[in-house]
Amino acid sequence: MIPERDLHLLLRSHGHVLSAIFAETEQERTRQNHLALLTAPLQRPPTANQHLVRVSTVYDALPGGAAAARATSAITLTNRVKLVDLRPGYTFVENGFVTAQGIVADAHHIYIHDSQHIKRGWENGTGDPGFQRYPPFSAYDPSDGTCYVEEPPDKVDQQVVLFNSRSGWQNFGHFIHDFMTQYPTYEEIRSKHGAVGCLFARQFKYPIQNFIVDKLFEAEFRDDRVRFIWGKPARYAGIFLPHPQFGVSGEIGVQSIRRVRQLLSGLARQYRATRGDPSSTGSGRVFVSRRDAVSNAYNRSALNQDVLEDSFRRHGFDIVTLSGKTPEEIFAIFSDAKIVAGVHGAGLLNIIFSSADSPLLIELDAIPKTWRSIECVIRALDFRHALVAAQKTEAGTEYPALDATIETLIESAA
């Protein structure tokens, strides 16, 4: 006899399987397969370490709900973005555990929350791709918002702070505005609660990321208080969840990103001074080329790349690629940069290492889409920002003659 709950979910799950089979797009097929996995019933009695819990967000536990975690002030940007200042803070989960995918749960709830960058609407299959491939729970019943989650056997008698990010491990831009903006909250937690542990989802990809993490978390690594958790679920005495400091619609923690800039530009200056290299090796004008880009998935490589680079070179810009650069080389390029330019991409956020009072970022638009994430960071830092439009041709993305535009922008930055 199939339990009524399982029968209910079985029908839902099979319905999504059929929808996936007849889906007309790969995106819809992925969405339906995700829903089929999410609603697949246990089809057996739950084990002793499986809990029926309610899916919720960290905001549910806060007075005032979601509004309590967000400030009301907003700054209107010139380029179609309204910047919403997010209030720093954190939620504490006592005797909680972390799933293999880095999702926090306890005996009553599993917390789907923005600081882990699971998009709202995940229950409709529009969440993080990693969440779709590896659902952190099973037998989700959309009618009452409950599911089963398995409690891991390993117990760590320590309070920890969970740092998480959807792409921050392999993308420098997300590393800055997703991962690093949680660091000021960690500083606050550490000041109030002493030496706590740190949970990172996985290893970092680039030398500059590892350099920053090694320096900022030097004591934690030395005292063996850092754990990489992907695929290693465990229970903890307590888990601190930093509230999100970045969102896809213009939300950013202004206080947090400014603290990150203070830390990273200071780190660059200190490193170069100890290496006997206090002065810049460049012109103060940097164009970040995408000739070394691994992927052109978003048409960010210009068809007229040579013409584009020559235009900036004529105006005194150093043309640089960033693949394979050491931290020392990146600091030398960006520490004294007053103007940074390039097509939208993570490399532009190396401007955060600049010690200039208010550097200018010239961001070349990408087709079909440029996310406004970089602009949000630049505006929150009180840097200057200019967005230059691209042209879409049948062959790809091109940029018009930019000499006059570059001259005007250089004059404005003087």
Side-chain angles (χ1 to χ4, degrees):
M1 182 81 179
I2 300 178
E4 183 177 349
R5 177 191 176 90
D6 278 11
L7 181 60
H8 173 74
L9 294 175
L10 186 64
L11 292 173
R12 281 182 175 271
S13 184
H14 282 189
H16 292 305
V17 170
L18 289 172
S19 296
I21 292 172
F22 294 105
E24 295 183 357
T25 66
E26 185 61 33
Q27 182 179 9
E28 179 62 15
R29 187 175 300 109
T30 300
R31 191 178 83 90
Q32 293 296 338
N33 282 329
H34 165 53
L35 286 168
L37 286 171
L38 193 65
T39 56
L42 289 180
Q43 296 183 303
R44 57 171 172 75
T47 60
N49 62 339
Q50 283 183 320
H51 303 284
L52 182 65
V53 300
R54 185 169 300 280
V55 179
S56 65
T57 73
V58 293
Y59 298 132
D60 295 339
L62 298 174
R70 300 177 184 271
T72 56
S73 61
I75 307 168
T76 301
L77 305 185
T78 57
N79 293 325
R80 298 169 287 175
V81 177
K82 177 174 284 189
L83 193 66
V84 179
D85 187 8
L86 297 179
R87 184 177 305 158
Y90 56 89
T91 294
F92 182 71
V93 179
E94 189 173 5
N95 294 320
F97 54 93
V98 181
T99 71
Q101 293 77 38
I103 310 298
V104 173
D106 58 25
H108 306 287
H109 296 268
I110 184 165
Y111 299 94
I112 306 300
H113 62 111
D114 288 355
S115 65
Q116 294 174 324
H117 294 269
I118 302 298
K119 296 180 182 177
R120 295 187 184 278
W122 58 267
E123 70 280 4
N124 295 319
T126 59
D128 180 278
F131 186 92
Q132 294 175 15
R133 288 193 296 270
Y134 310 105
F137 48 74
S138 59
Y140 173 71
D141 190 342
S143 65
D144 64 5
T146 60
C147 65
Y148 281 103
V149 63
E150 188 162 329
E151 183 175 352
D154 294 338
K155 175 71 179 291
V156 179
D157 190 21
Q158 185 182 40
Q159 292 186 346
V160 295
V161 178
L162 174 63
F163 290 80
N164 220 324
S165 166
R166 185 174 56 179
S167 306
W169 322 105
Q170 59 186 11
N171 180 293
F172 182 74
H174 284 273
F175 173 75
I176 295 297
H177 57 60
D178 296 354
F179 177 84
M180 281 304 304
T181 51
Q182 298 174 71
Y183 187 82
T185 300
Y186 170 66
E187 290 183 306
E188 179 187 352
I189 295 169
R190 189 175 56 190
S191 68
K192 291 180 178 178
H193 301 275
V196 295
C198 300
L199 300 184
F200 300 155
R202 57 183 76 185
Q203 302 284 341
F204 298 93
K205 181 177 181 179
Y206 296 109
I208 186 65
Q209 293 173 295
N210 285 296
F211 178 88
I212 292 169
V213 170
D214 287 347
K215 290 295 183 182
L216 293 182
F217 295 91
E218 184 176 6
E220 289 82 351
F221 278 108
R222 183 184 63 241
D223 298 340
D224 197 26
R225 288 188 281 117
V226 176
R227 289 170 59 95
F228 292 92
I229 60 176
W230 190 259
K232 300 176 182 177
R235 293 180 290 159
Y236 298 90
I239 304 170
F240 295 94
L241 302 176
H243 292 162
Q245 293 296 283
F246 185 79
V248 296
S249 301
E251 305 95 345
I252 189 168
V254 174
Q255 177 183 330
S256 296
I257 193 65
R258 289 182 178 178
R259 171 59 176 158
V260 171
R261 190 263 176 138
Q262 180 187 33
L263 287 167
L264 297 190
S265 61
L267 193 63
R269 287 195 307 272
Q270 181 184 24
Y271 181 73
R272 292 178 61 207
T274 58
R275 302 276 294 189
D277 180 28
S279 61
S280 173
T281 60
S283 65
R285 300 175 185 176
V286 179
F287 180 87
V288 180
S289 171
R290 293 190 62 84
R291 289 184 179 275
D292 57 342
V294 175
S295 170
N296 190 32
Y298 298 106
N299 293 314
R300 295 179 188 170
S301 295
L303 294 175
N304 58 340
Q305 186 77 28
D306 291 338
V307 174
L308 181 64
E309 292 180 4
D310 285 344
S311 294
F312 280 92
R313 189 179 288 109
R314 281 195 296 273
H315 291 85
F317 281 76
D318 298 318
I319 312 301
V320 302
T321 57
L322 299 180
S323 293
K325 288 286 191 294
T326 65
E328 179 180 10
E329 291 170 324
I330 288 176
F331 295 156
I333 292 168
F334 291 99
S335 286
D336 297 320
K338 296 179 176 61
I339 308 176
V340 174
V343 179
H344 174 86
L348 297 183
L349 280 184
N350 283 285
I351 196 174
I352 202 167
F353 296 117
S354 171
S355 297
D357 288 338
S358 185
L360 168 66
L361 179 70
I362 304 173
E363 183 179 10
L364 279 64
D365 211 355
I367 294 175
K369 182 177 182 179
T370 291
W371 283 267
R372 301 305 172 198
S373 52
I374 292 176
E375 182 180 354
C376 287
V377 172
I378 297 304
R379 298 291 185 180
L381 290 172
D382 206 22
F383 292 177
R384 288 168 290 178
H385 178 270
L387 185 66
V388 178
Q391 292 180 343
K392 175 66 174 176
T393 69
E394 291 184 1
T397 302
E398 288 188 352
Y399 294 89
L402 292 179
D403 288 270
T405 302
I406 295 171
E407 288 178 9
T408 300
L409 292 172
I410 290 175
E411 290 175 2
S412 71

